[in-house]
PDB file of all heavy atoms in Angstrom:
ATOM      1  N   GLU A 227      91.215 -18.941 -45.116  1.00  0.00           N
ATOM      2  CA  GLU A 227      91.338 -20.287 -45.661  1.00  0.00           C
ATOM      3  C   GLU A 227      92.646 -20.313 -46.429  1.00  0.00           C
ATOM      4  O   GLU A 227      92.771 -19.655 -47.464  1.00  0.00           O
ATOM      5  CB  GLU A 227      90.146 -20.589 -46.573  1.00  0.00           C
ATOM      6  CG  GLU A 227      90.132 -21.997 -47.106  1.00  0.00           C
ATOM      7  CD  GLU A 227      88.873 -22.236 -47.949  1.00  0.00           C
ATOM      8  OE1 GLU A 227      88.772 -21.685 -49.053  1.00  0.00           O
ATOM      9  OE2 GLU A 227      87.982 -22.954 -47.486  1.00  0.00           O
ATOM     10  N   HIS A 321      87.993 -19.737 -39.160  1.00  0.00           N
ATOM     11  CA  HIS A 321      87.708 -20.545 -40.348  1.00  0.00           C
ATOM     12  C   HIS A 321      87.979 -22.018 -40.077  1.00  0.00           C
ATOM     13  O   HIS A 321      87.162 -22.879 -40.340  1.00  0.00           O
ATOM     14  CB  HIS A 321      88.532 -20.065 -41.541  1.00  0.00           C
ATOM     15  CG  HIS A 321      88.211 -20.830 -42.787  1.00  0.00           C
ATOM     16  ND1 HIS A 321      88.595 -22.137 -42.982  1.00  0.00           N
ATOM     17  CD2 HIS A 321      87.502 -20.481 -43.902  1.00  0.00           C
ATOM     18  CE1 HIS A 321      88.149 -22.562 -44.150  1.00  0.00           C
ATOM     19  NE2 HIS A 321      87.481 -21.576 -44.723  1.00  0.00           N
ATOM     20  N   ASP A 355      84.195 -22.565 -40.484  1.00  0.00           N
ATOM     21  CA  ASP A 355      83.691 -22.807 -41.833  1.00  0.00           C
ATOM     22  C   ASP A 355      83.455 -24.320 -41.976  1.00  0.00           C
ATOM     23  O   ASP A 355      84.112 -25.122 -41.313  1.00  0.00           O
ATOM     24  CB  ASP A 355      84.745 -22.346 -42.837  1.00  0.00           C
ATOM     25  CG  ASP A 355      84.230 -22.321 -44.259  1.00  0.00           C
ATOM     26  OD1 ASP A 355      84.166 -23.399 -44.889  1.00  0.00           O
ATOM     27  OD2 ASP A 355      83.912 -21.231 -44.748  1.00  0.00           O
ATOM     28  N   LEU A 356      82.534 -24.668 -42.852  1.00  0.00           N
ATOM     29  CA  LEU A 356      82.286 -26.088 -43.127  1.00  0.00           C
ATOM     30  C   LEU A 356      83.525 -26.757 -43.736  1.00  0.00           C
ATOM     31  O   LEU A 356      83.666 -27.975 -43.692  1.00  0.00           O
ATOM     32  CB  LEU A 356      81.080 -26.175 -44.061  1.00  0.00           C
ATOM     33  CG  LEU A 356      80.535 -27.479 -44.562  1.00  0.00           C
ATOM     34  CD1 LEU A 356      79.038 -27.328 -44.808  1.00  0.00           C
ATOM     35  CD2 LEU A 356      81.215 -27.888 -45.861  1.00  0.00           C
ATOM     36  N   HIS A 357      84.450 -25.953 -44.281  1.00  0.00           N
ATOM     37  CA  HIS A 357      85.664 -26.498 -44.891  1.00  0.00           C
ATOM     38  C   HIS A 357      86.873 -26.453 -43.968  1.00  0.00           C
ATOM     39  O   HIS A 357      88.019 -26.419 -44.422  1.00  0.00           O
ATOM     40  CB  HIS A 357      85.944 -25.766 -46.212  1.00  0.00           C
ATOM     41  CG  HIS A 357      84.834 -25.956 -47.195  1.00  0.00           C
ATOM     42  ND1 HIS A 357      83.902 -24.982 -47.468  1.00  0.00           N
ATOM     43  CD2 HIS A 357      84.485 -27.048 -47.918  1.00  0.00           C
ATOM     44  CE1 HIS A 357      83.013 -25.466 -48.342  1.00  0.00           C
ATOM     45  NE2 HIS A 357      83.352 -26.707 -48.625  1.00  0.00           N
ATOM     46  N   HIS A 379      77.578 -21.235 -48.229  1.00  0.00           N
ATOM     47  CA  HIS A 379      77.451 -20.835 -46.834  1.00  0.00           C
ATOM     48  C   HIS A 379      76.475 -19.664 -46.708  1.00  0.00           C
ATOM     49  O   HIS A 379      76.753 -18.568 -47.196  1.00  0.00           O
ATOM     50  CB  HIS A 379      78.801 -20.385 -46.282  1.00  0.00           C
ATOM     51  CG  HIS A 379      79.906 -21.383 -46.467  1.00  0.00           C
ATOM     52  ND1 HIS A 379      79.700 -22.739 -46.397  1.00  0.00           N
ATOM     53  CD2 HIS A 379      81.238 -21.224 -46.687  1.00  0.00           C
ATOM     54  CE1 HIS A 379      80.860 -23.364 -46.586  1.00  0.00           C
ATOM     55  NE2 HIS A 379      81.802 -22.472 -46.782  1.00  0.00           N
ATOM     56  N   HIS A 669      79.793 -21.724 -54.323  1.00  0.00           N
ATOM     57  CA  HIS A 669      79.095 -20.593 -53.712  1.00  0.00           C
ATOM     58  C   HIS A 669      78.250 -19.810 -54.710  1.00  0.00           C
ATOM     59  O   HIS A 669      77.243 -19.219 -54.339  1.00  0.00           O
ATOM     60  CB  HIS A 669      80.093 -19.641 -53.039  1.00  0.00           C
ATOM     61  CG  HIS A 669      80.584 -20.139 -51.716  1.00  0.00           C
ATOM     62  ND1 HIS A 669      79.785 -20.810 -50.832  1.00  0.00           N
ATOM     63  CD2 HIS A 669      81.792 -20.045 -51.111  1.00  0.00           C
ATOM     64  CE1 HIS A 669      80.478 -21.107 -49.739  1.00  0.00           C
ATOM     65  NE2 HIS A 669      81.700 -20.670 -49.897  1.00  0.00           N
TER      66      HIS A 669
HETATM   67 ZN1   ZN B 893      83.871 -22.938 -46.951  1.00  0.00          ZN
END
Side-chain angles (χ1 to χ4, degrees):
E227 184 177 71
H321 183 288
D355 190 281
L356 180 151
H357 298 104
H379 307 325
H669 282 323

